[in-house]
Amino acid sequence: MSTTIYDIAERADVSTATVSRVFNDESGVSEETRQHVLDAAKALNYRPHASAQNLARQHTNQIAVVAPVVANYFYMHVMRGIQHALADRDMDLMVHAPANPQDRIHEQPDPESLSTYMARALQPGRNDGILLLSMPLTDEWADRLAETSRAVVLVDSEHPRFESFSVDSREGGYRATQHLIGLGYERIGHITVEYDPPPARYRREGYEQALREDGRAVRDPLIAASDERPFAFSEKGGYRAMKTLLDRNPRPDAVFAASDMQALGAVHAVQEQGLRVPEDLAIVGFDDIELSRCAGITTLRQPARTMGARAARTLLRRIDDANSAPVSSTVFSPKLVVRQTCGGHSEQEDASAGFTWREP
């Protein structure tokens, strides 16, 4: 039979409450009594159960990650960064995300689904801190998170009350479109997302800004929305949106897609029509996933793994010390990576991406 704190209390001639205070390193126990209890535990070959100690100390050694979807290249890279940052810490990950790919959960969750997954992460005793991926926060949810006194860090979204790490999507959309303008394309189209999540909205705003600065009108027939569910930033969504653009007259001679997966789908649609990329239609994506490098997709690189790692390290620091630093927003600047699909001269790739700090 294994040794219990009752056995130790009997051998040390103290109460079980005293034994518990010693093992949980609480005050109110003299040094002589503390050593007496530890000697008794050693004599009985007792080892405190880690989970029991954590529960007593109100620690779980778990971090919750709330995401709209996990089976996506961007989130997989973010998760790799998180795992890398946690490698040297005794921390487990609890992921709250739709498990069934048929669930109609969008990149911008509806209020019901947001409530469900956020509520699970906020249950008492479930975790020591929460990482929110691409989760837009209402003031109501921000209040609820703050009331828990748990460490919270945002990735791919921002809120002035919490530390955040994101990429400047508006700048990315602007630079992608400006690049195509500089290459001489006249009818530059855009593939976006139907339900308008913040990253897609900002990328479209950048696209429109570049057109207007060049004296061009924003033409609705050159814009198509990807509506694939449950995740519209998908190859199939980009394929369907590109088919829509190809059916219009005149069709675009270049397209900026809001994600690399949509860009890959767009390339498939163009080639299926017997057209060539970039000779007949140029394409630029956003993300710089591995598949894009293999397919030669010109894209805007966002450092997903770096964002995940930085966010996780920040969360650990705030778990250890809630007042470790003022809340700040880290905004990474995307880097244009020129490859074959835009018809431009390929530039030497640089694995780094700059970032700026924005204080809320």
Side-chain angles (χ1 to χ4, degrees), residues 27 31 117 189 213 250 315:
S27 59
E31 189 56 38
Y117 294 103
E213 284 187 5
L315 188 73

Side-chain angles (χ1 to χ4, degrees), residues 198-346:
R201 181 167 65 252
Y202 298 146
R203 289 166 201 178
R204 177 169 176 169
E205 288 176 359
Y207 159 79
E208 294 181 353
Q209 179 185 350
L211 291 179
R212 291 192 177 102
E213 284 187 5
D214 196 54
R216 306 187 186 198
V218 176
R219 299 166 59 187
D220 288 341
L222 292 177
I223 300 173
S226 175
D227 61 356
E228 186 66 19
R229 298 292 191 260
F231 191 73
F233 289 98
S234 67
E235 184 177 5
K236 188 175 181 180
Y239 171 84
R240 290 169 59 173
M242 190 73 243
K243 293 278 284 186
T244 298
L245 292 176
L246 290 173
D247 288 339
R248 292 176 180 169
N249 188 17
R251 68 169 184 251
D253 59 1
V255 167
F256 162 52
S259 72
D260 280 357
M261 291 306 296
Q262 289 169 295
L264 288 166
V267 169
H268 180 202
V270 171
Q271 293 174 340
E272 189 178 74
Q273 292 282 340
L275 302 173
R276 299 167 301 166
V277 177
E279 291 83 357
D280 298 311
L281 197 151
I283 294 176
V284 175
F286 198 113
D287 283 328
D288 195 28
I289 61 177
E290 283 92 341
L291 286 176
S292 300
R293 300 170 195 178
C294 297
I297 301 289
T298 295
T299 188
L300 274 297
R301 175 182 294 153
Q302 60 172 332
R305 193 176 304 186
T306 299
M307 285 195 289
R310 291 279 300 274
R313 293 190 189 104
T314 299
L315 188 73
L316 291 174
R317 187 169 65 248
R318 290 197 171 277
I319 289 172
D320 295 337
D321 180 5
N323 299 313
S324 60
V327 169
S328 64
S329 175
T330 303
V331 183
F332 291 83
S333 180
K335 174 179 174 56
L336 177 67
V337 180
V338 180
R339 298 192 180 104
Q340 291 88 356
T341 58
C342 69
H345 177 68
S346 295

